[in-house]
Amino acid sequence: MIARDGLTVVSGSELAQRILAEGNDSRCLVLDTDHGLKIIPLVPDAKKLYLEVTTGCNFNCTTCIRNSWLDGTGQMSWETFVRLAEQLDEFPQLETVHFGGFGEPLSHPKILDMMEVLAHKGLKLELITNGSLLSTEVASRLLDLGLEKIYVSLDGPDEKEYNQIRQGADFHQVYGNLKKFYRLKQQRGLKSPSINIEFVAMKSNYHRIPDLARLLPEIGAQELLITNVLPYHELLVKEVLYDREETELFSGHQIIAAMRAKLPQMKLRSLRYCKFIEDKAVVVNWKGNVNPCYALMHTYYCYIYGRKKKFYQQSFGNVNESTLAEIWTRPDYAHFRSQVKDFEFPSCTDCQARDGCAPPDNLNDCWGNTLSCSDCLWSRGIIVCP
């Protein structure tokens, strides 16, 4: 056994061989927990990759993280992408690559070439976009590539709310692009990609959800994904809807109109669940940094129930310096994923003592964690992502 950073790595042991009978790797992580030993195989078993190819965007949205982040904008180099693409061969269970993050993927000049490389590897492709660059030519190429899912951000059913939130945008252009995309899909007789709409709900626009839901058939949308707003600046705090009764927000005719909607949680529940960890997902940002989730992808400020908090990005390595498989199987990364899966963090969000001791950033908590998910609203289902 090899002790490393307070963790124990078992290499070549009889126990490890028995646990890893289906694999060739003989390394595993052994954690001494209150419930006994926990054995974690250190194998490249990620199933989904979230890939941020750019943080640039042609919109200036009031809800965007750029209003508070401390990172610069940039786009992934072709060299970094090729290096990463080659490394994906080490992940036998990898199924899907989601092009997203905190930029507009279609603004990257090589985005379609990147998707083609991964499509040739047999991977399913997903894309989230603001829809403004979804021209007929781009749409045709996406259909050629066999895109599995497309998510389009649409925060209103007409130009009034939409253009107010998404500054620099044109509702009619985006909606027209969506109708053309759907028509082209129909003309080809394709079942994929599924067309999905993402809506950021706030006090100023949630009442328009029924109107937006009625537009879904015109663009062939199969799902309306609703998420609450995460305030990245103080002015958005007053727009927060959560902590109100679901029946107050989505009652009566609204529920009927939004039947095809996937609704977020509006109250804090006891259950905490990380979609990224449970889906065995990994996030790679435009610099090649490997992050465990969207919330830890960049450094920024946001407001958690009115409390200003700084979130530092957390990278467990960079694909330009190590392979993704090497990073994924690092004991500290595996240990962190185990912590999140069991949610070994306090719940600062609804703690009675939060006003006196809630930490100002995510680098510590009262349980002694040096990277904490104690205030994560994604894990409570309040903030939702594809």
Side-chain angles (χ1 to χ4, degrees), residues 90-114:
E90 297 184 72
F91 289 83
Q93 298 181 48
L94 187 66
E95 300 173 349
T96 304
V97 178
H98 179 95
F99 285 83
F102 292 100
E104 170 48 51
L106 291 180
S107 70
H108 194 294
K110 302 284 284 184
I111 179 65
L112 296 175
D113 296 329
M114 291 174 169

Side-chain angles (χ1 to χ4, degrees), residues 20 30 63 78 82 128 206 220 241 326 334 374 378:
L20 302 170
V30 180
T63 55
W78 182 250
V82 170
I128 186 166
Y206 85 92
L241 284 169
E326 290 170 346
S374 61
W378 277 271

Side-chain angles (χ1 to χ4, degrees), residues 56-113:
C57 186
N58 55 331
F59 286 0
N60 183 24
C61 303
T62 59
T63 55
C64 186
I65 190 175
R66 290 175 195 76
N67 292 305
S68 73
W69 76 359
L70 304 178
D71 294 1
T73 58
Q75 61 185 26
M76 180 173 283
S77 70
W78 182 250
E79 292 73 23
T80 295
F81 170 76
V82 170
R83 187 176 289 113
L84 171 62
E86 292 172 348
Q87 296 171 11
L88 298 183
D89 294 336
E90 297 184 72
F91 289 83
Q93 298 181 48
L94 187 66
E95 300 173 349
T96 304
V97 178
H98 179 95
F99 285 83
F102 292 100
E104 170 48 51
L106 291 180
S107 70
H108 194 294
K110 302 284 284 184
I111 179 65
L112 296 175
D113 296 329

Side-chain angles (χ1 to χ4, degrees), residues 9 20 25 27-29 40-44 328-331 334 337:
V9 179
L20 302 170
D25 199 315
R27 298 172 64 243
C28 62
L29 177 66
I40 304 172
L42 297 178
V43 294
W328 178 264
T329 58
R330 280 179 52 173
R337 295 197 301 271

Side-chain angles (χ1 to χ4, degrees), residues 349-382:
T349 314
D350 54 354
C351 175
Q352 292 182 349
R354 63 183 177 275
D355 292 335
C357 81
D361 57 49
N362 65 330
L363 296 184
N364 64 85
D365 61 38
C366 63
W367 288 9
N369 294 303
T370 54
L371 175 62
S372 181
C373 298
S374 61
D375 260 330
C376 180
L377 296 183
W378 277 271
S379 70
R380 313 306 280 262
I382 289 174

Side-chain angles (χ1 to χ4, degrees), residues 136 139-140 143 180-188:
T136 301
S140 181
L143 294 176
K180 286 188 292 184
F181 184 82
Y182 178 46
R183 187 162 57 248
L184 190 58
K185 175 187 167 183
Q186 285 182 307
Q187 289 172 354
R188 296 195 185 189

Side-chain angles (χ1 to χ4, degrees), residues 156-228:
D158 53 42
E159 60 185 345
K160 181 179 179 182
E161 281 91 1
Y162 180 83
N163 291 2
Q164 185 176 357
I165 295 168
R166 299 188 172 273
Q167 298 174 13
D170 182 340
F171 173 82
H172 297 293
Q173 178 198 16
V174 171
Y175 195 68
N177 286 346
L178 279 170
K179 288 198 289 187
K180 286 188 292 184
F181 184 82
Y182 178 46
R183 187 162 57 248
L184 190 58
K185 175 187 167 183
Q186 285 182 307
Q187 289 172 354
R188 296 195 185 189
L190 299 174
K191 293 183 178 180
S192 297
S194 65
I195 300 171
N196 310 277
I197 301 302
E198 183 176 31
F199 179 92
V200 179
M202 300 182 286
K203 287 181 180 178
S204 59
N205 71 346
Y206 85 92
H207 63 286
R208 302 302 307 276
I209 291 175
D211 298 320
L212 180 61
R214 293 186 189 101
L215 297 180
L216 299 186
E218 295 181 17
I219 54 177
Q222 287 141 288
E223 181 182 86
L224 175 59
L225 176 64
I226 301 174
T227 179
N228 280 294

